[in-house]
Amino acid sequence: MTQKAFVRTEMLPEQDPPPTEAGIVGWIRENLFSGWLNTLLTLLAIGVIYYVLSGLLPWIFQSVWNAGSLDECREIMKATWGETHGHACWAVIKDRWLQLLYGFYPPYPVYPDANFGEAPVGHWLPAYFRPNLALVLLFAALAPVLFDRVPRKMLVFTAIYPFVMPWLMWGGSVWTPVGIAAGFAILFAVIRYGQVAMGFLLAVIVGVLAALLWWGLIMGYVTAGLDQIVPIAIPSVESREFGGFMLAILIGVVAIGLSLPIGIVLALGRRSDLLIIKSLSVGFIELIRGVPLITLLFVASVLLNYFMPPGTDFDIIMRVMIMVTVFASAYTAEVIRGGLAALPKGQYEGADSLGLDYWQAQRLIIMPQALKISIPGIVSTFIGVFKDTTLVSIIGLLDPIGLSQGIRANQEWNGIYWELFAFIALLFFVTCFGMSRYSMWLERKLQKGH
């Protein structure tokens, strides 16, 4: 009887996969033409993409960059491409891009008492040196917070930056930000060294009162005296000269930077067992979340002055920063509260079993995990807040949208529309896309096992 072998006794030589199943051809077959429905949808998508690009690419690349007005743009278009339509006039961006970025902020520092025709003080500096330096220092201050490979010693500069940035942007005596920083130093010193004797809550109250006493009554005399002894100052710039994308970044950075710690405190307060703290936190969050941001901006612009002492000059940009920060804090608090609620009860019990007190448990175990869970929601809130800074144009601040309206009202560029808003959209897209990419990178980095 003949026996048949069912097990191969030798290995077959390796062969290349079929050309239609590997490489770019295989990917296209699997993802774009795997069936009649996918084939139909792919062809429709190709048609839509072709239709959009056939109109968009000539508008971008067959455009005019050198012209002094919209009429001159149209004359150049007619001479170059005839009566065809769909050509952009990017000359308006070339003519006004500095205004869209910086508003009416002076390019060089100029003292108010300088005579007309004099060379501006510091004219040897690059144009817009102060806002550009503030932006570069912002990245340096954020680096140790955003990336763990940056030396931890840089956190000292991160703590100093909130006092350096306003001085660079608004100018004036250097002793004013130093005095403000001294108030915070008093606050933290009282909390750190007084909580042993007074308890944490009483130490916080005493520290806040001491800081308010310093800022309200003592700081003015001390900084005035120091300014007389060692006068160090840079030219002042009024808030009405701020504008453009610089103003959006300024409001957005301050609101994002302050709303995160305030949101953490509000989220903890909402979950507190103390009735007063919980009630105040819930009331604040629900009140702010129940009111549109534009209403808060109108309050900052018009109504807030009615609650200030007569003669008080409360800077409009500072008022807007406060309201945008308050708005962002309420939404951030709810996102973080969701992260806290998502943690299993065993994490709290584990912290108790280690003998950690409330703040140690929050700092070492609870809050890091809650913030990790909340990263997508937090970044989404920050992106929304940054885009909402365009609402300040409604209350008269000259952000990019407000400036675009002024440019369109100018006789030279009356009738221009898409080019201005495309440029503004590009600025916001680059910034928001960067925040989104960073959040995705951070999520991948914090994945378990990495």
Side-chain angles (χ1 to χ4, degrees):
M1 182 175 180
T2 304
Q3 293 183 350
K4 295 182 180 180
F6 292 94
V7 179
R8 187 178 296 277
T9 59
E10 58 184 13
M11 295 293 294
L12 290 176
E14 293 185 1
Q15 297 181 359
D16 294 331
T20 58
E21 300 295 334
I24 185 65
V25 176
W27 183 90
I28 291 175
R29 287 192 59 183
E30 180 180 354
N31 294 277
L32 302 181
F33 299 98
S34 58
W36 70 269
L37 181 59
N38 275 356
T39 301
L40 178 61
L41 293 176
T42 299
L43 295 176
L44 288 175
I46 292 174
V48 171
I49 293 173
Y50 173 79
Y51 176 78
V52 172
L53 292 181
S54 63
L56 185 62
L57 293 180
W59 183 75
I60 295 176
F61 295 105
Q62 293 181 356
S63 54
V64 178
W65 284 91
N66 298 302
S69 65
L70 181 59
D71 291 337
E72 185 178 350
C73 259
R74 289 170 175 169
E75 292 176 1
I76 296 174
M77 291 177 190
K78 185 176 181 180
T80 307
W81 297 288
E83 297 294 338
T84 60
H85 297 281
H87 306 284
C89 180
W90 295 114
V92 63
I93 305 301
K94 185 178 180 180
D95 184 44
R96 299 297 182 94
W97 71 276
L98 286 174
Q99 187 177 2
L100 289 170
L101 290 179
Y102 300 99
F104 297 100
Y105 198 93
Y108 305 103
V110 182
Y111 284 103
D113 56 353
N115 295 324
F116 180 76
E118 287 185 355
V121 178
H123 65 282
W124 46 270
L125 293 173
Y128 299 105
F129 172 76
R130 282 162 55 177
N132 291 341
L133 178 60
L135 181 62
V136 172
L137 294 180
L138 171 65
F139 293 131
L142 289 177
V145 179
L146 301 180
F147 304 102
D148 56 358
R149 294 186 178 180
V150 179
R152 296 293 93 183
K153 294 180 180 179
M154 286 286 293
L155 288 172
V156 176
F157 179 73
T158 304
I160 296 174
Y161 180 77
F163 307 100
V164 175
M165 183 271 289
W167 181 63
L168 282 175
M169 297 300 297
W170 277 273
S173 173
V174 72
W175 299 113
T176 300
V178 170
I180 297 174
F184 285 100
I186 293 172
L187 171 63
F188 289 115
V190 173
I191 294 175
R192 179 174 181 179
Y193 298 106
Q195 61 180 329
V196 177
M198 297 179 289
F200 179 77
L201 183 59
L202 184 58
V204 171
I205 296 174
V206 174
V208 170
L209 293 177
L212 292 176
L213 178 65
W214 165 261
W215 289 324
L217 299 178
I218 304 174
M219 189 188 82
Y221 298 103
V222 175
T223 54
L226 291 173
D227 196 39
Q228 292 293 328
I229 299 172
V230 187
I232 303 176
I234 57 177
S236 299
V237 178
E238 297 183 6
S239 293
R240 60 184 176 84
E241 296 176 325
F242 284 57
F245 195 62
M246 177 191 71
L247 179 61
I249 292 180
L250 182 64
I251 297 174
V253 166
V254 172
I256 290 172
L258 294 179
S259 64
L260 182 58
I262 296 175
I264 292 174
V265 173
L266 289 172
L268 294 176
R270 183 157 191 167
R271 293 174 58 86
S272 174
D273 295 329
L274 299 176
L275 180 60
I276 296 178
I277 294 179
K278 182 175 183 178
S279 300
L280 291 175
S281 300
V282 171
F284 177 86
I285 292 172
E286 296 302 330
L287 175 64
I288 298 301
R289 292 178 69 238
V291 177
L293 177 58
I294 187 60
T295 304
L296 297 177
L297 293 178
F298 275 117
V299 170
S301 175
V302 180
L303 299 179
L304 202 59
N305 277 337
Y306 289 105
F307 299 96
M308 304 300 295
T312 302
D313 185 15
F314 195 3
D315 189 272
I316 178 61
I317 294 181
M318 293 295 183
R319 284 181 268 161
V320 169
M321 286 179 179
I322 292 173
M323 288 302 179
V324 177
T325 301
V326 166
F327 182 81
S329 299
Y331 280 87
T332 304
E334 284 298 280
V335 174
I336 296 174
R337 185 175 70 90
L340 291 170
L343 287 181
K345 190 177 180 181
Q347 298 296 319
Y348 296 89
E349 295 173 347
D352 294 336
S353 67
L354 293 174
L356 302 179
D357 61 24
Y358 177 80
W359 294 108
Q360 289 175 332
Q362 292 293 336
R363 181 171 61 89
L364 299 174
I365 297 178
I366 306 302
M367 193 53 65
Q369 297 183 72
L371 291 178
K372 174 185 173 182
I373 296 172
S374 306
I375 285 175
I378 292 174
V379 175
S380 178
T381 301
F382 288 168
I383 291 175
V385 169
F386 183 71
K387 291 188 294 185
D388 284 344
T389 57
T390 55
L391 292 174
V392 300
S393 61
I394 300 177
I395 61 173
L397 293 181
L398 297 177
D399 76 314
I401 301 297
L403 286 171
S404 68
Q405 296 175 356
I407 294 172
R408 291 168 53 208
N410 187 281
Q411 183 177 1
E412 296 175 348
W413 302 109
N414 189 13
I416 203 79
Y417 187 83
W418 289 106
E419 292 84 349
L420 288 171
F421 288 107
F423 179 70
I424 296 170
L426 178 63
L427 294 176
F428 278 92
F429 172 78
V430 170
T431 306
C432 296
F433 183 76
M435 287 192 283
S436 175
R437 293 299 99 181
Y438 171 77
S439 71
M440 295 179 66
W441 172 82
L442 187 60
E443 286 183 67
R444 292 193 300 268
K445 182 179 177 61
L446 295 178
Q447 287 291 333
K448 294 180 180 180
H450 291 265

